[in-house]
Amino acid sequence: MSKTYDFIIVGGGSSGIVTASKLIKRGASVLVLEEGIHSNSLLLSMPAGWIKGLDNSPYLRFYKSTPQQQLNGRQHDIAQAKTFGGGSKVNGMVYMRGKPSDYNKWHLETGDSSWNWDVMLKHFIKLENNERIINNFHGNKGSLKVSDPGYVVEGSNLYIKAMQELGLPYNSDFNDGDQYGVGLMQYTIGNGKRCDAVSAFLKPIKNNKNLDVKLKTVVTRVILDKKNAVGVECISQGKEKKYFANQIILTAGSLVTPKILMHSGIGEEEQLKKFNIKVLENLKGVGKNLQDHHEVPVISKTKPGYGYFNQDRGWRMIKNGIQYLLFNSGPVRSQGVDSCSFFNPENLRDPKDPKIKLYCVPIMYTDRDTKGITPDHGITLTSCLMNPKSRGEVSIQSSNPLDLPLINPNFLSHKDDIQTILEAVKLARRVIKTKPLSNIVVKDFLPGDSISSDEDLINYCKKMIKTNWHPVGTCKMGSDNDDMAVLNTKLEVKGIKNLRVFDVSMMPTIVGANTNAPAMAIADKATDMLIN
């Protein structure tokens, strides 16, 4: 007879690890199942290393979107972590929480005041160990190290000055509830090294006898006894296995968590019957409500010496590496994107609920959509929609749980999103023509001088729009009378006992922030509710 755990956690990412560490500390036996492998990559531990680690990484899975009709048939890639530690191991380390209205929307939509900003703020503070700020908005007793940039190039400073020249105020803290303005970001970095969920929360208890971790394990479905979750089926290192527990918690992320539910017989009846999957609970919201931050770049060539171009090649790379290893200083201390701004592109002086996050990347940031451009010294201003109105979905393509899900992000399917991103791109073009940033700009590469009409700019946006790697919402929580809600406000799967979802797929609406910090805060709050 195989061991029955108190809890099985499916997915060893940020949410899963925070959940596991809290349950272990309460004396529970916990099995964590993770599809990926363990990473001890020195490169990924360096702040600047994550960008070089993106290419052909064994720690990432690249999903291909379905053809996007509204984007003229384009398909684009969506990278998700495939390693123990999840996104916290491979992301850009930006520490961002969002704004009060993001969480207060959850309260309004669910009717549950325990999900508002004031409550969530307590969980952010509890987890945080901020190197600089101690006040009513920040903590310094948690395990998650949060710090300012360890290095800032002059191009980032010029961007901050240009935004102020246009009327945007300087903001020294984007995480105190007021995002409006321009400034330097904070990061999950401590003493010059990435602070991921494993090192922050699991390392102190890694030898606890109640903790069991199995890597290279793909969970195929939840085992249900009538409508009671009792275990999971999986393929672990090539062998079919079953594990049993009193409670199952899914933290596999917004693309995989709904897939597991659907293959377990929990989902939209019509889709499950299509693949001869027995319907155990007809929840039509499973896989729906997909939201993601999406962005459009404006790329310019600049004079040399103001950014990060070529700092990771040849002699400069050797010099920077030695400086980092010997003195813990220099460009390797930067993750490559030092600054950003939050604003409403239609009215830059309107401080209420910024719609756009404008990243300043001090290089010509190119990818497969920008073929034909030779990388050079430059500035890329990337307009990112914070609260898009477009909604996509995740679905299954067969009855085989090893097949990847079908992902339809549906970017720019809402007319308001098109208008917002159009105005944002126009504003980004104004920024590069504003002193002192304009003093170093040599040429506007993209969109380029030939594109000026709204129609041409919209087509440019459709050609260039891409994910910011923050998919959420596919198992949203909601009130009892919301027939599209998958979870109640305790994050229990509706109609099923002992099955919960603690990852960002629970979000009814996306928050205006990089999603790693919110994922941890959600798991912290959800585990408190479970324990209590």
Side-chain angles (χ1 to χ4, degrees):
M1 180 82 177
S2 61
K3 175 180 177 180
T4 297
Y5 295 86
D6 292 324
F7 297 93
I8 291 175
I9 297 173
V10 179
S14 298
S15 303
I17 285 173
V18 168
T19 303
S21 71
K22 288 173 72 75
L23 292 173
I24 290 288
K25 287 173 183 175
R26 290 297 294 250
S29 59
V30 177
L31 170 64
V32 180
L33 301 174
E34 165 58 40
E35 178 182 358
I37 57 178
H38 191 67
S39 162
N40 284 317
S41 168
L42 178 62
L43 188 66
L44 285 177
S45 74
M46 298 177 179
W50 74 281
I51 298 175
K52 290 187 81 69
L54 287 178
D55 296 331
N56 303 314
S57 171
Y59 311 122
L60 288 173
R61 164 164 280 148
F62 285 90
Y63 296 87
K64 184 79 71 177
S65 76
T66 57
Q68 301 291 288
Q69 186 177 351
Q70 80 286 1
L71 303 182
N72 303 318
R74 262 187 73 202
Q75 286 181 277
H76 43 89
D77 295 321
I78 305 166
Q80 291 286 275
K82 197 181 74 168
T83 183
F84 193 45
S88 71
K89 273 280 189 183
V90 296
N91 65 4
M93 292 158 280
V94 172
Y95 180 81
M96 200 72 71
R97 298 169 174 176
K99 51 194 182 293
S101 63
D102 294 330
Y103 300 94
N104 294 338
K105 266 186 213 166
W106 296 3
H107 172 192
L108 288 173
E109 185 159 333
T110 65
D112 188 335
S113 61
S114 76
W115 285 102
N116 67 25
W117 164 257
D118 291 335
V119 174
M120 291 300 295
L121 180 60
K122 293 174 184 175
H123 292 278
F124 283 113
I125 291 171
K126 184 168 67 169
L127 295 174
E128 182 189 26
N129 184 349
N130 197 295
E131 74 162 6
R132 172 172 61 93
I133 313 172
I134 305 174
N135 58 21
N136 292 334
F137 300 100
H138 291 279
N140 67 342
K141 294 178 179 161
S143 300
L144 185 68
K145 295 174 183 176
V146 177
S147 65
D148 295 333
Y151 184 88
V152 178
V153 289
E154 184 58 20
S156 298
N157 292 327
L158 297 179
Y159 165 74
I160 290 171
K161 290 175 184 176
M163 294 305 295
Q164 291 178 88
E165 191 68 30
L166 288 170
L168 208 62
Y170 183 78
N171 190 336
S172 63
D173 181 10
F174 291 121
N175 290 306
D176 64 0
D178 181 11
Q179 287 186 324
Y180 177 64
V182 61
L184 299 170
M185 293 185 284
Q186 288 212 309
Y187 307 90
T188 50
I189 295 172
N191 195 30
K193 290 183 179 178
R194 174 191 292 273
C195 182
D196 57 76
V198 177
S199 59
F201 301 104
L202 219 56
K203 198 173 181 181
I205 57 166
K206 66 178 182 179
N207 296 322
N208 191 297
K209 61 180 174 44
N210 282 335
L211 175 64
D212 201 354
V213 177
K214 298 194 184 301
L215 305 179
K216 300 182 187 175
T217 300
V218 179
V219 172
T220 53
R221 73 180 185 96
V222 177
I223 301 169
L224 297 170
D225 179 8
K226 295 178 182 175
K227 293 196 175 183
N228 183 33
V230 296
V232 296
E233 288 183 3
C234 56
I235 296 175
S236 185
Q237 302 191 28
K239 296 179 181 178
E240 292 185 7
K241 296 272 182 75
K242 291 181 182 180
Y243 297 104
F244 295 92
N246 298 323
Q247 305 257 4
I248 312 297
I249 300 171
L250 300 181
T251 56
S254 291
L255 305 185
V256 177
T257 287
K259 180 175 86 84
I260 292 171
L261 287 177
M262 286 185 267
H263 284 293
S264 306
I266 303 166
E268 185 182 34
E269 185 174 27
E270 184 180 341
Q271 183 175 181
L272 301 189
K273 285 184 173 178
K274 178 179 172 184
F275 299 114
N276 296 315
I277 297 172
K278 185 180 178 182
V279 181
L280 296 175
E281 187 66 24
N282 179 17
L283 289 179
K284 61 183 181 180
V286 174
K288 304 296 193 292
N289 193 49
L290 175 63
Q291 299 155 67
D292 192 359
H293 296 135
H294 35 298
E295 58 188 35
V296 174
V298 168
I299 302 174
S300 302
K301 182 180 177 181
T302 65
K303 297 173 184 176
Y306 292 90
Y308 291 112
F309 179 66
N310 268 349
Q311 293 295 327
D312 60 346
R313 292 180 175 87
W315 164 242
R316 285 190 188 90
M317 179 181 72
I318 296 169
K319 171 181 167 289
N320 292 336
I322 292 171
Q323 182 178 355
Y324 173 76
L325 292 172
L326 292 183
F327 305 107
N328 198 14
S329 65
V332 178
R333 282 289 304 265
S334 168
Q335 57 80 270
V337 188
D338 312 318
S339 59
C340 75
S341 55
F342 288 91
F343 56 81
N344 288 303
E346 300 90 346
N347 180 3
L348 204 58
R349 296 184 187 274
D350 173 17
K352 189 174 183 296
D353 289 349
K355 298 177 184 176
I356 289 292
K357 179 180 184 181
L358 187 67
Y359 292 96
C360 174
V361 188
I363 55 171
M364 288 177 68
Y365 181 58
T366 58
D367 60 16
R368 68 182 186 86
D369 293 312
T370 49
K371 286 177 182 172
I373 289 183
T374 303
D376 206 332
H377 298 277
I379 290 278
T380 301
L381 300 183
T382 302
S383 298
C384 188
L385 277 166
M386 286 289 95
N387 302 106
K389 295 181 179 178
S390 300
R391 297 290 182 268
E393 69 176 300
V394 172
S395 55
I396 54 177
Q397 59 176 314
S398 76
S399 60
N400 183 355
L402 295 181
D403 286 343
L404 294 182
L406 297 173
I407 302 166
N408 173 21
N410 217 17
F411 295 162
L412 300 186
S413 58
H414 195 289
K415 60 179 175 39
D416 289 356
D417 290 351
I418 295 175
Q419 190 59 37
T420 300
I421 204 72
L422 170 64
E423 295 302 323
V425 168
K426 286 181 179 179
L427 187 89
R429 298 181 91 179
R430 273 180 63 200
V431 175
I432 62 171
K433 293 175 181 174
T434 301
K435 290 184 177 180
L437 188 60
S438 61
N439 293 335
I440 67 167
V441 173
V442 174
K443 182 179 180 182
D444 172 12
F445 262 91
L446 287 175
D449 296 335
S450 62
I451 295 179
S452 57
S453 71
D454 282 3
E455 182 182 359
D456 287 346
L457 279 172
I458 288 170
N459 283 330
Y460 169 77
C461 291
K462 289 181 176 181
K463 178 185 176 186
M464 299 299 295
I465 196 99
K466 65 193 76 175
T467 176
N468 200 210
W469 304 303
H470 301 149
V472 308
T474 50
C475 299
K476 77 165 189 167
M477 70 170 174
S479 61
D480 291 340
N481 59 9
D482 182 352
D483 63 355
M484 292 303 290
V486 177
L487 312 172
N488 62 23
T489 58
K490 293 178 182 176
L491 305 192
E492 298 166 323
V493 176
K494 288 187 171 185
I496 305 293
K497 290 181 180 178
N498 301 321
L499 180 60
R500 291 171 165 81
V501 174
F502 284 7
D503 61 32
V504 294
S505 65
M506 57 68 70
M507 289 187 182
T509 49
I510 195 168
V511 296
N514 307 63
T515 49
N516 188 48
M520 295 182 188
I522 288 162
D524 190 69
K525 172 179 164 42
T527 311
D528 279 355
M529 289 193 299
L530 172 60
I531 290 168
N532 294 333

